Amino acid sequence: MGSSWFDDSMSPSSPVTVTVTGAGGQIGYALLFRIASGAMLGPEIPIRLQLLEIPTGQKAAEGTALELQDCAFPTLDSIAVTTDAAAGFNGTNIALLVGARPRGPGMERGDLLQANGAIFGPQGAAINDYAADDVKVLVVGNPANTNALIASAHAPDVPASRFTAMTRLDHNRALAQLAATLNVPVYSISNVTIWGNHSAAQVPDISHGLLRQPDGNKIPLVQALAQKLGGTASVEQWLEEVFIPRVAKRGAEIIEVRGSSSAASAAAAAVDHIHDWVGGTADSWTSAAIVSEGSYDIDPGLISSFPVRSTGSGWQIEQDLELSTGVRARIDTSLRELREERDLVRSLGLIS
Ligand code: NDP
């Protein structure tokens, strides 16, 4: 692997190499301008962008690269477009794996996983061979948790903790729904968690959530919701019937209203994920899918969403949170799905 951008010998303003796959797609179009403008790593860090596409997406990525050039962002050091994974991941410090095979008509889950295995296996191997020593990987392309598992399995020299999958959009959607319901600013809400798989079986959990009031005191979110909705029983009902389905099915709602899938919000969540991983979380935890080491009885090796904090060097799981019976049951359902996906990709020979 190549050199690291955290090397002491390098000045803090050495360019950081960021690879984006699927750069010609919708999310890529919303993501690249924010990365290049400094929104992800800050205004002091020059960015070297490497856009990786498949041949059918190459022209679109090249067009996006022309527009990026025209923005004249002071933070944009260079842009390269390639269809070659070795070149795309060469020296990369941050890899955003956005391009994935969407589910086509009549495609079974096994077909989808096999098609994505053919993308994420070789990409993991190329990251292993060509990326910088400190590479950090975020998988956005679905099924994100299992795609990250496949990529990691093909990168034996990269610590598994560097392969993550995105549940930050689910997390942000949960914060936004809570803020709208309570009629408070999003930043006053903290300690909300998404557990498990990034799928309809995800587990939005507000049981440890806090609301900062105008006087600075924090109260439990459940208490604030009970005041708003008329009692604890109403909160339970709202969580079951409104909040959890709304967050889990928000993607479908966006498609119905907008006429195409969410792209800018997915891109914003990817920026948030890397921003907090590299720069550290503030006073609240966030949610990210990372490799399990067994916390909360989640099978070691599975890539599951957890409550996480970062000090800038890596994600740490918030430990010892008490889980209600209801939340535990939902996590177990989400875990069953993750195990099935893992077993399927194992049976297809995509991981050992
Ligand atoms: P998008 O840019 O809209 O989506 C890309 C991936 O992100 C999909 O897997 C999509 O999953 C996933 N995703 C995750 N979260 C969200 C969300 N909240 N909303 C929508 N999507 C989400 O897809 P496009 O078709 O516009 O672009 C894909 C690009 O990837 C194409 O340019 C294609 O050429 C490229 N590609 C590149 C590959 C490579 O570099 N090797 C391999 C395969 C494709 P879902 O399908 O579930 O919506």
Side-chain angles (χ1 to χ4, degrees), residues 11-12 17 24-25 52-53 60 97 109 111 121 132 135 160 163 181 215 228 237 245 258 320 336 350:
S11 79
T17 301
L52 179 62
E53 258 295 352
L97 309 189
R109 190 150 56 143
D111 303 329
V135 66
F163 283 86
T181 301
D215 63 5
K228 185 86 183 177
Q237 191 182 3
R258 183 174 178 257
D320 302 324
R336 272 196 293 280
L350 298 168

Side-chain angles (χ1 to χ4, degrees), residues 132-166:
D133 291 340
D134 65 352
V135 66
K136 294 178 170 61
V137 182
L138 170 63
V139 176
V140 175
N142 284 316
N145 299 50
T146 299
N147 288 341
L149 184 71
I150 295 168
S152 177
H154 286 77
D157 302 332
V158 180
S161 58
R162 306 277 193 74
F163 283 86
T164 65
M166 190 167 90

Side-chain angles (χ1 to χ4, degrees), residues 5-67:
W5 59 293
F6 286 127
D7 273 355
D8 289 343
S9 59
M10 294 172 87
S11 79
S13 58
S14 297
V16 171
T17 301
V18 178
T19 299
V20 178
T21 74
Q26 276 209 87
I27 295 176
Y29 192 74
L31 177 61
L32 288 163
F33 296 86
R34 299 210 53 215
I35 297 173
S37 70
M40 187 170 81
L41 298 178
E44 308 299 325
I45 308 285
I47 307 282
R48 205 181 273 148
L49 271 179
Q50 294 179 176
L51 313 187
L52 179 62
E53 258 295 352
I54 49 178
T56 48
Q58 187 177 3
K59 286 294 271 182
E62 284 171 357
T64 304
L66 296 181
E67 281 201 79

